[in-house]
């Protein structure tokens, strides 16, 4: 069952009799899922019309009742919509259709409708001008006109594998078995998948010459060969839409360009009319208003600033800037129920600068003045963008829900509003940084002059020559990055703002790069000489960091990194965060769905390894299971040296990327340093790694054994693992990272304890039985009464006695069982199952004619809950001893347990294995002694 199916099934159960709705937090807690993942799935269900949500905070989701429209009204509405759809085309919804995009729209229609099979198209234009959006519009138009049979637009970005032409060609054309190392079976390519439809080749200038030749052969003859074949065996009826930011005449083969009769030139943002720019801004604000479900207010200066802030990223940059200012406005207006206000004084500096930039162009300012009103109000209209595309500028989660929840949480912690805003805006800016990092700035254009003064650019050019003469080598981004850095520094000086201080860890890191520090001192002297102002030493370290990063970016033999993890988005989510933070170009991910076979996963990961390998080997970061065994196999199949590290976390990925980027190390050095990584902060995931490392280092020290808490239950699994999770969380909250929690079975408990004492210092015990150690002990029923926190406090204070009183009220005990099921089980209905489990205990009582204590009933109920979940999830019990069936049936408790089992089987329609009966007998035996 997928995550979305699991959430949908839960909603159907919970909302059947609940008209008020349910919150994201409640769903995440009940299903033990990550809240941001739940929010993402809920918003997809809303977009699909399956759910509705409130405008209040916290947001609640509910099933909307159908309106009682009459049959006639409904039919009339459908007819009107049908007639309107017949007259309109998708291009009627594109901004600029009658102006800057008029010729482009006519070209697109002609290309799609040209008999008999249409014409191939090349879309050119700068980054962010809407080439991908236009290609999706063309595909929808072709589908609506029924000129293609395959409605799906097959997309391939040629830049993804530009450094590996063989892999690029294999993805595009497919390959045959034995075509290259690792090609173990025939594989079809994207061209075959696009048969009957349209193939969109983005950044087509990155396609190697042999690939272009194969493409134009396909255009001419409709046939192609897979990698490893010598004859054109395969046919495909494919229309091509290509896109490039480069000049086709200089970046593509002439024979390739000649076969594309229609070239559509997309205008830059500044080539659009002011009316169109204003409409684009309004459309993007409407998208945000629909997402927030609040009105957005902004005055003339804010509109001018946002429109003027677009300097090189075109429509894509506009969208990113709108998301940023709306997120900040939402944070600042979080206490207002139905609106947010975007105020000029609260805009980020780079967007504020847009006002003065636009003011320098009087013609554009005059055009905008005829459109603008004193105040612009954008209301949510629940409309959707007509062109469906995978928008790389669109956030994969509801940013506003996250902001609201974080603000509420930080407010409860006692932070003031300024501190909350600073904290959350750091998160918001990660997205903006990701946008800038993924865009290539156009060389040879004057866009840099729009951002910094010519004087700064001239200084930077001289600085680059000076540093090169001293032996420094840099990338093509030096001019852009250093100009921005110098410009920012000069503006701080001119404005009288306090200068930045260099952190201790930054100074320490720079000391490891004496050459770059030497170059930074040269740069510092040049800046002082040019501007006749002193440059403080703190700025020296910032210059050094910049030079280090620019030099490291040029490194061509960087160790590659592949993150592989189970789940639909686990690995890719970690990589997305790290890529945004560190601009990683040697990192890729693989999400292994739970139903994928290990052999298929191995093949796919081999492709990822080949994709990122640059000759220095690859670090494979995995979560668990079969993935951790793939390293040697991948090396055997591909010849690429691979080192594997398991228990991957976002912090571990972050550190691995940093090591491969900032230090000149080979695969072995990076691998060794990552193995010693202890994390940046105290998180539960990293604590497990820290504890493991401490255990390994302490085994040989008899007087300094690692500390352990024992959790005793009947099997050492089910219930024990749930209690372990509870205690792990409490230990994290108390900032305790040197104690490990060990679940054990009551079977052979005494022998197990002796074995554990060989390696661990046992400092406390909880569970269904006390192994008579002189350490604090808390019965399991007391732990469920909230005793966990007190338990840890007693451990910290080295106390020796604890929790002697038992639960006396039967109702209280039963409530504790229900609460336990709610907190720690995913597949059980706590209300229903807790009643059945309590009745199970009552059946045994009646059969034995003997009263069971409430403590025993709680322990037995918890064990049964774990047993039921094991059966439901087909998770077999790990049996440590040989169990004699006849001996189990001869046990004095067997008749009573068997009677209770029959009741359980009738109530829940499950059959208990004989080994489960054994552990139930053992549990009751232990408790009744």
């Amino acid at each position: 069952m997928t995550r979305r199916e699991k959430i949908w099934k839960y909603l159907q159960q919970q909302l059947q009799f609940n008209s008020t709705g349910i919150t994201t937090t409640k769903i995440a807690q009940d299903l033990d899922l990550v809240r941001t993942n739940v929010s993402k799935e809920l918003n997809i269900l809303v977009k699909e019309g399956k759910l509705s949500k409130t405008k209040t905070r916290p947001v609640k989701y509910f099933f909307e009742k159908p309106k009682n429209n009459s049959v006639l009204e409904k039919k009339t509405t459908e007819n009107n919509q049908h007639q309107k759809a017949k007259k309109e085309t998708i291009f009627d919804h594109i901004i600029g259709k009658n102006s800057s995009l008029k010729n482009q729209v006519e070209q697109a229609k002609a290309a799609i409708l040209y008999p008999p099979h249409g014409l191939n198209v090349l879309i050119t234009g700068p980054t962010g001008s809407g080439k991908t959006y236009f290609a999706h519009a063309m595909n929808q138009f072709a589908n609506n006109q029924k000129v293609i049979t395959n409605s799906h637009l097959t997309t391939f970005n040629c830049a993804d594998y530009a450094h590996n032409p063989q892999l690029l060609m294999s993805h595009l054309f497919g390959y045959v078995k034995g075509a290259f190392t690792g090609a173990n079976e025939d594989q079809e390519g994207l061209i075959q998948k696009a048969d009957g439809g349209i193939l969109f080749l983005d950044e087509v200038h990155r396609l190697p010459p042999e690939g272009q030749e194969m493409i134009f052969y396909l255009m001419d003859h409709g046939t192609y060969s897979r990698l490893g074949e010598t004859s054109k065996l395969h046919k495909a009826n494919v229309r091509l839409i290509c896109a490039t930011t480069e000049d086709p005449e200089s970046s593509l083969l002439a024979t390739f360009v000649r076969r594309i009769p229609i070239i559509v030139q997309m205008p830059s943002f500044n080539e659009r009319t002011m009316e169109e720019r204003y409409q684009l801004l309004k459309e993007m604000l409407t998208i945000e208003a629909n997402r927030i479900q609040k009105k957005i207010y902004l005055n003339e200066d804010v509109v001018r600033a946002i429109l003027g802030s677009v300097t090189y990223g075109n429509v894509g940059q506009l969208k990113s800037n709108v998301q940023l200012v709306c997120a900040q406005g939402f944070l600042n207006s979080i206490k207002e129920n139905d609106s947010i206000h975007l105020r000029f004084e609260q805009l980020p500096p780079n967007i504020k600068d847009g006002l003065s930039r636009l003011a320098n162009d009087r013609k554009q300012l005059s055009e905008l003045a005829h459109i603008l009103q004193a105040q612009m109000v954008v209301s949510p209209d629940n409309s959707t963008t007509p062109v469906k595309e995978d928008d790389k500028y669109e956030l994969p989660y509801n940013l506003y829900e996250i902001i609201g929840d974080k603000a509420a949480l930080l407010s409860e912690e006692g932070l003031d509003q300024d501190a909350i805003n600073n904290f959350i805006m750091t998160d918001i800016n990660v997205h903006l940084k990701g946008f800038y990092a993924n865009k290539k700035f156009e060389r040879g254009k004057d866009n840099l002059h729009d951002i910094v003064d010519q004087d700064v650019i001239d200084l930077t050019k001289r600085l680059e020559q000076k540093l090169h003469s001293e032996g420094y080598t840099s990338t093509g981004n030096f001019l852009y990055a250093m100009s921005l850095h110098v410009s920012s520094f000069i503006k701080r000086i001119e404005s009288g703002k306090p200068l930045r201080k260099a952190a201790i860890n930054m100074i320490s890191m720079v000391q490891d790069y004496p050459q770059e520090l030497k170059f930074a001192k040269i740069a510092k002297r040049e800046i002082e000489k040019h501007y006749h102002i002193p440059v403080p030493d703190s700025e020296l370290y910032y210059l050094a960091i910049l030079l280090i990063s620019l030099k490291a970016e040029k490194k061509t033999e960087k160790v590659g990194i592949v993150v592989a993890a189970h789940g639909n988005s686990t690995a890719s989510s970690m990589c997305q965060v790290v890529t945004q933070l560190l601009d990683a170009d040697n990192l890729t991910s693989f999400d292994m769905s739970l139903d994928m076979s290990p052999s298929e996963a191995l093949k796919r990961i081999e492709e990822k390894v080949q994709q990122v390998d640059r000759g220095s080997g690859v670090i494979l970061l995995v979560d668990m299971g079969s993935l951790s065994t793939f390293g040697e196999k991948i090396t055997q199949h591909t010849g690429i040296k691979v080192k594997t590290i398991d228990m991957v976390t976002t912090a571990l990925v972050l550190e691995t990327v940093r090591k491969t980027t900032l230090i000149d190390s080979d695969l072995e050095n990076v691998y060794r340093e990552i193995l010693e990584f202890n994390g940046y902060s105290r998180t539960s995931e990293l604590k497990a790694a820290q504890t493991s490392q401490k255990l390994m280092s302490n085994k040989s020290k008899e007087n300094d054994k690692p500390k352990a808490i024992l959790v005793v239950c009947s099997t050492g699994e089910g219930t024990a693992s749930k209690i372990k999770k509870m205690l792990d969380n409490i230990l994290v909250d108390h900032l305790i990272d040197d104690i490990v929690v060990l679940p054990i079975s009551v079977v052979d408990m005494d022998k197990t304890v002796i074995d554990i004492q060989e390696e661990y210092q046992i400092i406390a015990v909880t569970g269904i039985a006390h192994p008579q150690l002189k350490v604090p002990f808390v019965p399991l029923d007391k732990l469920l009464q909230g005793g966990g926190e007190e338990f840890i406090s007693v451990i910290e204070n080295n106390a020796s006695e604890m929790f002697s009183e038992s639960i006396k009220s039967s109702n209280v005990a039963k409530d504790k069982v229900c609460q336990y099921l709610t907190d720690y089980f995913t597949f059980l209905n706590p209300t229903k199952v807790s009643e059945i489990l309590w009745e199970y205990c009552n059946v045994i009582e009646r059969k034995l004619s003997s009263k069971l204590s409430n403590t025993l009933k709680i322990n037995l109920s918890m064990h049964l809950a774990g047993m039921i979940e094991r059966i439901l999830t087909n998770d077999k019990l790990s049996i440590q001893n040989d169990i004699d069936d006849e001996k189990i049936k001869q046990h004095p408790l067997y008749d009573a347990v068997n009677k209770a089992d029959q009741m359980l089987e009738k109530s829940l329609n499950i059959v208990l294995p004989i080994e489960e009966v054994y552990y139930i007998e053992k549990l009751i035996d232990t408790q009744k002694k």
Side-chain angles (χ1 to χ4, degrees), residues 542-765:
Y542 283 97
L543 281 167
I545 290 291
L546 178 64
L547 293 174
I548 292 167
S549 65
L550 288 173
K551 183 177 182 180
E553 191 179 295
K554 189 67 176 177
K555 194 175 173 183
T556 56
E557 296 186 354
K558 201 183 298 181
V559 173
I561 305 166
V562 176
V563 181
H566 293 78
N568 293 329
S569 61
T570 307
S572 56
S573 295
M574 286 189 278
C575 289
Q576 181 185 19
V577 172
V578 172
T579 300
Q580 289 173 334
L581 290 173
L582 294 184
D583 303 344
D585 61 354
N586 61 329
L587 173 68
T588 189
S589 62
F590 174 71
D591 297 308
M592 180 179 176
S593 59
L594 299 180
D595 57 353
M596 181 180 288
S597 67
S599 59
E600 174 66 14
L602 175 60
K603 183 175 72 172
R604 300 278 295 279
I605 294 175
E606 284 177 1
E607 293 176 358
K608 295 288 185 181
V609 167
Q610 291 171 321
Q611 177 184 330
V612 298
D613 177 53
R614 299 179 185 177
S616 296
V618 173
I619 294 284
L620 178 60
L621 303 176
V622 303
D623 57 349
M624 60 182 180
S626 59
L627 295 176
S628 60
T629 67
F630 284 176
E632 291 185 7
K633 296 177 183 176
I634 294 173
T635 299
Q636 291 171 3
H637 293 168
T638 65
I640 299 171
K641 195 167 183 181
V642 176
K643 287 288 188 179
T644 306
I645 298 175
D646 59 8
M647 300 299 289
V648 62
T649 65
T650 303
L652 188 67
V653 180
L654 195 66
E655 182 66 7
T656 307
V657 170
R658 195 181 73 80
K659 292 292 186 186
T660 61
T661 303
L662 294 179
I663 61 174
D664 295 323
S665 297
D666 59 17
L667 179 64
E668 292 293 337
N669 288 336
V670 175
Y671 176 69
R672 185 176 60 254
E673 293 204 20
I674 295 305
L675 280 179
E676 298 172 357
F677 177 60
N678 289 328
Y680 300 116
S681 61
R682 295 178 178 271
T683 65
S684 57
E685 290 177 301
L686 294 176
K687 284 181 185 305
Q690 291 172 342
T691 302
S692 175
Q693 291 168 357
K694 289 178 180 178
L695 296 183
M696 292 174 65
S697 64
N698 289 337
K699 282 182 181 179
S700 60
K701 302 177 182 179
E702 187 64 31
N703 296 326
D704 190 23
K705 295 177 182 177
K707 300 173 184 178
I709 298 173
L710 296 188
V711 178
V712 183
C713 82
S714 53
T715 64
E717 299 181 18
T719 301
S721 65
K722 305 290 184 183
I723 301 304
K724 170 179 163 52
K725 180 178 178 182
M726 176 196 299
L727 293 177
D728 281 337
N729 290 336
I730 297 173
L731 288 169
V732 169
D733 290 342
H734 281 253
L735 301 180
I736 299 173
D737 62 357
D738 58 350
I739 300 176
V740 63
V741 180
L742 301 175
I744 66 171
S745 170
V746 72
V747 179
D748 295 331
M749 177 180 64
D750 294 338
K751 180 180 181 303
T752 304
V753 168
I754 293 172
D755 293 340
I756 290 174
Q757 286 179 312
E758 291 292 321
E759 298 186 33
Y760 297 90
Q761 176 191 354
I762 301 173
I763 60 170
V765 181

Side-chain angles (χ1 to χ4, degrees), residues 278 297-300 341 372-377:
Y278 181 78
Y297 291 84
L298 55 165
N299 62 26
E300 294 172 283
H341 294 265
L372 275 181
Q373 297 177 346
Q375 187 175 56
M376 182 178 181
V377 182

Side-chain angles (χ1 to χ4, degrees), residues 422-444:
N422 289 333
F423 185 91
I424 296 178
M425 282 310 298
T426 301
D427 284 353
I428 295 172
N429 273 293
V430 167
H431 170 61
L432 188 67
K433 179 176 172 59
F435 167 77
Y436 289 130
N438 290 327
K439 306 302 159 200
K440 302 297 182 184
F441 302 117
E442 300 169 80
R443 311 289 181 225

Side-chain angles (χ1 to χ4, degrees), residues 119-125 131-132 134-135 138 153-154 156 158 172 198-207 211-212 215-216 219 238-246 248 252 256-257 259-260 262-266:
L119 299 173
N120 298 312
V121 176
L122 175 63
I123 306 175
T124 65
K131 297 185 295 296
T132 302
F134 200 75
M138 289 180 66
L153 179 67
T154 304
F156 181 71
C158 301
L172 200 52
I198 296 175
L199 174 63
F200 175 48
L201 296 177
D202 199 5
E203 299 196 60
V204 69
H205 59 276
R206 306 295 294 274
L207 193 65
Q212 295 181 41
I215 288 289
F216 70 65
M219 291 188 237
V238 176
R239 299 170 181 236
L240 286 178
I241 300 177
C242 305
T244 180
T245 56
E246 306 295 320
L252 296 169
F256 182 81
V257 176
R259 284 168 170 80
I260 303 180
I262 293 185
I263 298 180
V264 176
Q265 173 67 46
M266 297 296 291

Side-chain angles (χ1 to χ4, degrees), residues 786-801:
E789 294 283 347
E790 189 176 348
F791 184 35
I792 300 301
S793 298
V794 169
I795 293 170
E796 288 181 303
N797 296 327
N798 297 316
S800 60
E801 295 182 1

Side-chain angles (χ1 to χ4, degrees), residues 17-32:
F17 304 106
N18 182 352
S19 59
T20 60
I22 190 167
T23 65
T24 307
T25 302
K26 170 68 173 168
I27 299 170
Q29 289 175 346
D30 287 356
L31 298 182
D32 195 21

Side-chain angles (χ1 to χ4, degrees), residues 28 114 147 172 197 206 312 317 373 391 395 468 540 580 595 633 649 661 770 820 825 898 922 924:
Y114 194 86
V147 296
L172 200 52
R206 306 295 294 274
Y312 55 84
Q317 188 191 3
Q373 297 177 346
D391 192 346
L395 292 172
H468 283 178
L540 174 68
Q580 289 173 334
D595 57 353
K633 296 177 183 176
T649 65
T661 303
H770 192 342
Y820 170 78
F825 286 83
N898 187 47
K922 194 71 178 175
I924 298 174

